[in-house]
């Protein structure tokens, strides 16, 4: 590979690793002059990468979002993680199975042989829970429309299909026909997507199954968001499911924010409430039989965790941290046993 091409790939990888890079630091990492960095940035721009120059005493560069998707560069672990995630996408209920299969084929074709063998050895079969029922996946375009209305605080007009059978917990399943609502949150529960909204015709909060929504265009006027009862959407949605408090009957219930997409978290969370906070962040309300058990369950997600509450969950994370630190040193002599969190 020509030296310039290899350097461009290294530069692109660096720009994807963090948001802002001082120009001098990039030059040092690439072992070139700042002038060469500027030329390489111009070459990336010609290839479609929206690299913005940042002003200031140091000056630098940032990889921004553009109008088109340029070629992407993944490291080995990212490529394998992406392939596995695409294989399990059917459990999200987002209705993008065909697109995911095409994306997996595209990614696999450009993988080096060593990664292709790893992916082929990790064939995953996603099994839907028995109580999900047929045809409950939400259409990806509908999710996009609802998400845009939530973000833009725009009144939604939509048709809502009646439930085929009674007992659709949490959803306003008995109603049909044109509806008007102020959308507030998109959440997942047990592999299904729900819209939390203020129903303008019924003057009350409702939880709608997304797979029964057919949006009408255009959307209505903008609105000022109302305060959700209790102030927390996870607990609100959990309370709407008959006989459930969000914990699945478990005595210890906690709330955290994860730096992961809601679609990823919901794939591995059947008994909790997942609220989308952005493309790469979500809120999770989950229950367990003990606080350390809940902390350990949350810790399995490979992401930063912000504990919203309660204090017992924070104490449990501290306990696990001490235990993990002790395990990392193989229980070295003189280490005091951690206190018990009750």
């Amino acid at each position: 590979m020509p030296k310039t091409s290899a350097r461009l790939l290294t530069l692109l990888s660096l720009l994807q690793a963090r948001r802002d890079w001082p120009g001098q630091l990039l030059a040092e990492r690439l072992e070139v002059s700042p002038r060469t960095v500027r030329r390489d940035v111009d070459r990336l721009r010609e290839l479609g990468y929206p690299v913005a120059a940042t002003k200031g005493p140091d000056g630098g560069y940032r990889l921004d979002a553009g109008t088109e998707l340029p070629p992407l560069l993944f490291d080995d672990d990212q490529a394998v993680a992406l392939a596995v995630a695409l294989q399990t996408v059917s459990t999200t209920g987002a209705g993008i199975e065909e697109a995911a299969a095409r994306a997996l084929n595209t990614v696999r074709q450009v993988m080096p042989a060593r990664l292709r063998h790893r992916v082929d050895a990790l064939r995953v079969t996603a099994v839907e829970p028995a109580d999900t029922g047929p045809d409950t996946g939400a259409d990806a375009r509908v999710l996009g429309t609802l998400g845009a209305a939530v973000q833009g605080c725009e009144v939604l007009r939509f048709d809502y299909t009646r439930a085929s059978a009674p007992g659709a917990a949490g959803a306003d399943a008995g109603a049909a026909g044109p509806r008007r609502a102020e959308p507030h949150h998109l959440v997942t529960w047990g592999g299904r997507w729900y819209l939390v909204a203020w129903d303008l015709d019924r003057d009350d909060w409702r939880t709608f199954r997304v797979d029964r929504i057919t949006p009408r265009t255009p959307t209505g006027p903008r609105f000022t968001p109302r305060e959700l009862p209790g102030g927390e959407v996870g607990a609100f949605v959990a309370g709407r499911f008959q006989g459930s408090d969000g914990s699945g009957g478990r005595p210890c219930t906690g709330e955290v924010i994860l730096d992961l997409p809601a679609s990823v978290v919901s794939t591995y969370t059947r008994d909790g409430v997942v609220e989308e906070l952005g493309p790469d962040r979500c809120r999770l309300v989950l229950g367990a039989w003990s606080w350390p058990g809940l902390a350990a369950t949350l810790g399995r997600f490979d992401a930063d965790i912000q504990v919203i509450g309660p204090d017992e969950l924070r104490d449990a994370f501290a306990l696990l941290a001490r235990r993990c630190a002790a395990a990392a040193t193989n229980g070295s002599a003189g280490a005091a046993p951690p206190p018990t969190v009750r």
Side-chain angles (χ1 to χ4, degrees), residues 86 89-90 92-103 137-141 143 263:
L86 289 171
V89 74
S90 63
T92 66
I96 55 174
E97 291 82 0
E98 182 181 350
R102 288 188 284 109
D139 187 280
R141 289 171 294 182
L143 283 173
S263 59

Side-chain angles (χ1 to χ4, degrees), residues 171-252:
D172 189 14
R179 309 289 288 268
R180 295 184 311 118
E182 298 175 353
H184 282 257
H185 299 277
L186 274 174
V187 301
T188 63
W189 178 285
R192 292 193 179 109
W193 286 85
Y194 295 89
L195 174 70
V196 178
W198 176 264
D199 194 316
L200 292 170
D201 298 319
R202 288 151 180 79
D203 200 31
D204 193 10
W205 290 98
R206 291 290 190 272
T207 306
F208 300 96
R209 280 244 318 247
V210 171
D211 59 300
R212 294 176 180 158
I213 292 177
T214 303
R216 294 193 177 193
T217 55
T219 54
R222 294 176 63 88
F223 63 89
T224 301
R226 304 168 188 264
E227 184 176 354
L228 195 68
E232 200 286 300
V233 68
F236 172 81
V237 173
R240 289 294 172 112
F241 286 79
Q242 187 176 18
S244 175
D245 58 0
S247 65
R250 298 174 177 86
C252 303

Side-chain angles (χ1 to χ4, degrees), residues 245-255 285-295 298 309-310 312-313 316 342:
D245 58 0
S247 65
R250 298 174 177 86
C252 303
T253 304
E255 177 184 350
V285 177
L286 189 64
W289 295 107
S290 70
W291 293 113
L294 178 58
L298 294 169
E312 289 85 350
L313 180 56
R342 298 185 184 278

Side-chain angles (χ1 to χ4, degrees), residues 93 97 128-138 164-165 191-192 209 211-212:
E97 291 82 0
E128 294 289 348
D131 59 352
T132 299
D135 300 328
T136 58
S164 57
R192 292 193 179 109
R209 280 244 318 247
D211 59 300
R212 294 176 180 158

Side-chain angles (χ1 to χ4, degrees), residues 59-280:
Y61 302 96
R62 172 189 303 163
L63 186 61
D64 285 339
T67 57
E68 296 180 353
L69 184 66
L72 301 177
L73 181 66
F74 299 104
D75 61 31
D76 288 8
D77 290 340
Q78 288 174 326
V80 173
L82 177 62
V84 173
L86 289 171
Q87 292 185 58
T88 59
V89 74
S90 63
T91 61
T92 66
I96 55 174
E97 291 82 0
E98 182 181 350
R102 288 188 284 109
L104 176 60
N105 185 56
T106 300
V107 172
R108 186 183 177 281
Q109 285 180 347
V110 297
M111 281 183 173
R114 68 180 189 282
L115 291 185
R116 194 178 307 117
H117 293 327
R118 287 178 62 186
V119 170
D120 290 344
L122 282 171
R123 288 295 177 184
V124 180
T125 300
V127 179
E128 294 289 348
D131 59 352
T132 299
D135 300 328
T136 58
D139 187 280
R141 289 171 294 182
V142 174
L143 283 173
T145 299
L146 300 184
V150 170
Q151 184 177 15
C153 296
E154 298 174 342
V155 172
L156 269 175
R157 299 184 306 117
F158 59 94
D159 295 314
Y160 195 64
T161 306
R162 294 182 184 274
S164 57
D172 189 14
R179 309 289 288 268
R180 295 184 311 118
E182 298 175 353
H184 282 257
H185 299 277
L186 274 174
V187 301
T188 63
W189 178 285
R192 292 193 179 109
W193 286 85
Y194 295 89
L195 174 70
V196 178
W198 176 264
D199 194 316
L200 292 170
D201 298 319
R202 288 151 180 79
D203 200 31
D204 193 10
W205 290 98
R206 291 290 190 272
T207 306
F208 300 96
R209 280 244 318 247
V210 171
D211 59 300
R212 294 176 180 158
I213 292 177
T214 303
R216 294 193 177 193
T217 55
T219 54
R222 294 176 63 88
F223 63 89
T224 301
R226 304 168 188 264
E227 184 176 354
L228 195 68
E232 200 286 300
V233 68
F236 172 81
V237 173
R240 289 294 172 112
F241 286 79
Q242 187 176 18
S244 175
D245 58 0
S247 65
R250 298 174 177 86
C252 303
T253 304
E255 177 184 350
V256 298
I257 292 178
L258 298 171
D259 287 346
L260 282 174
S263 59
V264 173
V265 174
S266 63
T267 301
Y268 304 98
T269 307
R270 289 294 178 184
D271 297 327
V273 178
V274 184
E275 174 197 355
E276 185 178 44
L277 299 180
D280 298 309

